Amino acid sequence: MNTSQPGNLIKGTVQDVTSDAIPYLKIVADSPRWSMNLGLVQQDIFDVKLDMSSENKIYFGLVKRAKIGNNPGDFYAGELNYNNKKYQIQIYVERLPCSDNGHQSHNARITMLKEEKEYYACGDFLN
């Protein structure tokens, strides 16, 4: 962690955070480069670590799972924090086969909406 101390305030960037949440879903995308880990905190509440490598930013926060209508997948919506700013995030996940750019097989298809931009990826349910 890089820190500086103006007065009694410590500022810096967080690189690694550990969580007691149960690992649930791991997502890795190639273009643009980003990854996400979701961990189950309690029923339908997940902690999120979003690493936007393409932006050199790491976001942390919580999302809530919702089943909407007859959609085969699940929606997750919540708030992530980066540098003391809050960002809305929405994720749609389907338990379907997915192949990434490296032709690796995964068991989930992901669409993420962040800052009015859509991102696509494959992922793996961990349970």
Short mmCIF file of all heavy atoms in Angstrom, two decimals, residues 4 8 14 36 68 84 87 108 111:
data_model
loop_
_atom_site.label_atom_id
_atom_site.label_comp_id
_atom_site.label_asym_id
_atom_site.label_seq_id
_atom_site.Cartn_x
_atom_site.Cartn_y
_atom_site.Cartn_z
N SER A 4 0.58 8.24 2.27
CA SER A 4 1.16 9.53 2.64
C SER A 4 0.35 10.03 3.81
O SER A 4 -0.81 9.70 3.94
CB SER A 4 1.12 10.50 1.47
OG SER A 4 -0.21 10.75 1.10
N ASN A 8 -3.30 13.81 10.26
CA ASN A 8 -3.56 12.49 10.82
C ASN A 8 -4.25 11.55 9.84
O ASN A 8 -4.64 10.47 10.19
CB ASN A 8 -4.42 12.62 12.08
CG ASN A 8 -3.65 13.29 13.20
OD1 ASN A 8 -2.43 13.18 13.26
ND2 ASN A 8 -4.36 13.97 14.08
N VAL A 14 -5.68 0.40 -2.15
CA VAL A 14 -5.80 -0.97 -1.66
C VAL A 14 -5.48 -1.91 -2.81
O VAL A 14 -6.04 -1.78 -3.89
CB VAL A 14 -7.23 -1.24 -1.14
CG1 VAL A 14 -7.36 -2.68 -0.71
CG2 VAL A 14 -7.55 -0.31 0.01
N MET A 36 -13.36 -10.40 -11.93
CA MET A 36 -14.24 -10.16 -10.79
C MET A 36 -14.35 -11.44 -9.97
O MET A 36 -14.40 -12.55 -10.51
CB MET A 36 -15.63 -9.76 -11.28
CG MET A 36 -16.64 -9.50 -10.17
SD MET A 36 -18.30 -9.14 -10.79
CE MET A 36 -18.05 -7.55 -11.52
N ILE A 68 -35.57 -12.13 -11.94
CA ILE A 68 -36.59 -11.26 -12.53
C ILE A 68 -37.31 -11.99 -13.66
O ILE A 68 -36.67 -12.42 -14.64
CB ILE A 68 -35.96 -9.95 -13.05
CG1 ILE A 68 -35.30 -9.21 -11.89
CG2 ILE A 68 -37.00 -9.08 -13.74
CD1 ILE A 68 -34.58 -7.95 -12.27
N ASN A 84 -12.92 6.50 -2.85
CA ASN A 84 -13.98 7.22 -2.12
C ASN A 84 -15.14 7.68 -3.00
O ASN A 84 -15.88 8.58 -2.62
CB ASN A 84 -13.41 8.42 -1.36
CG ASN A 84 -12.49 7.98 -0.24
OD1 ASN A 84 -12.73 6.96 0.40
ND2 ASN A 84 -11.44 8.73 0.00
N TYR A 87 -19.90 3.71 -7.41
CA TYR A 87 -20.27 3.40 -8.78
C TYR A 87 -21.36 2.33 -8.78
O TYR A 87 -21.23 1.32 -8.08
CB TYR A 87 -19.06 2.89 -9.56
CG TYR A 87 -17.96 3.91 -9.68
CD1 TYR A 87 -16.99 4.02 -8.67
CD2 TYR A 87 -17.89 4.75 -10.76
CE1 TYR A 87 -15.98 4.96 -8.77
CE2 TYR A 87 -16.88 5.70 -10.87
CZ TYR A 87 -15.93 5.80 -9.87
OH TYR A 87 -14.93 6.73 -9.97
N ALA A 108 -20.31 -20.23 -17.13
CA ALA A 108 -21.19 -19.07 -16.95
C ALA A 108 -20.91 -18.01 -18.02
O ALA A 108 -19.77 -17.82 -18.43
CB ALA A 108 -20.97 -18.46 -15.57
N THR A 111 -22.73 -10.61 -18.43
CA THR A 111 -22.84 -9.27 -18.99
C THR A 111 -22.81 -8.31 -17.81
O THR A 111 -23.58 -8.46 -16.86
CB THR A 111 -24.15 -9.07 -19.78
OG1 THR A 111 -24.23 -10.06 -20.79
CG2 THR A 111 -24.22 -7.68 -20.39
#
